[in-house]
Amino acid sequence: MSETFAKPIPHPTPDTQPYWDGLARGALLIQRCGDCGKLRHYPRPVCDGCWSMAHDWAEAGGGGAVHSWTVCHHPFHIGFKAQSPYVLLTVELDEGVRAMGQLRGMDPAGLRLGLRVGVGFEREDDSPVLPVFHPVTE
Ligand code: ZN
């Protein structure tokens, strides 16, 4: 018996639409405060440094270091069951903000804190393009 279940997909808002548009063209965009210049991620309407609502977008280089990870054996949603276990990384981007994405291209047994990773971009079915991370050597 084969059953598949749709994964929940992100629903862009006016605050997040540029982020999703960036991913669709292969760019990881980070919000930058229009007043104090502080970078922030995930996208949100207010700067936590100066409370300004002004912002623009900066393109991240895509490199970073593993800050944390979890191997998800029990999916939080049944739509992820078929690909479980999968690895969800929290990456400290070189720009100083953290981003999350699934691990690609290596056995999770080789993961370590500070491992250098680079961003990749994947689309699944009708989902928006999502960021993923793979190991890099520099
Ligand atoms: Zn600010």
Side-chain angles (χ1 to χ4, degrees):
M1 185 171 95
S2 175
E3 293 182 326
T4 59
F5 298 90
K7 295 176 183 173
I9 62 170
H11 296 282
T13 68
D15 289 324
T16 65
Q17 188 67 58
Y19 170 74
W20 297 110
D21 291 346
L23 292 176
R25 60 181 172 82
L28 180 60
L29 301 183
I30 302 171
Q31 274 186 328
R32 178 175 47 211
C33 177
D35 284 311
C36 76
K38 184 177 181 181
L39 296 174
R40 64 180 185 257
H41 185 75
Y42 57 94
R44 49 193 179 270
V46 179
C47 174
D48 64 4
C50 72
W51 311 113
S52 171
M53 294 186 75
H55 69 271
D56 62 5
W57 297 86
E59 183 172 348
V66 171
H67 174 79
S68 179
W69 72 89
T70 185
V71 180
C72 302
H73 293 273
H74 301 282
F76 76 95
H77 184 280
I78 196 168
F80 289 84
K81 184 176 181 182
Q83 74 177 102
S84 297
Y86 62 92
V87 179
L88 186 60
L89 296 177
T90 300
V91 173
E92 179 97 18
L93 296 176
D94 293 338
E95 290 76 10
V97 297
R98 293 177 186 158
M100 297 178 75
Q102 288 193 32
L103 174 68
R104 295 291 186 263
M106 71 176 287
D107 187 319
L111 279 170
R112 58 178 172 73
L113 297 178
L115 180 76
R116 292 291 301 169
V117 291
V119 73
F121 305 93
E122 287 186 2
R123 182 190 303 274
E124 182 177 335
D125 301 327
D126 293 330
S127 169
V129 174
L130 298 173
V132 296
F133 291 95
H134 53 83
V136 296
T137 53
E138 295 175 323

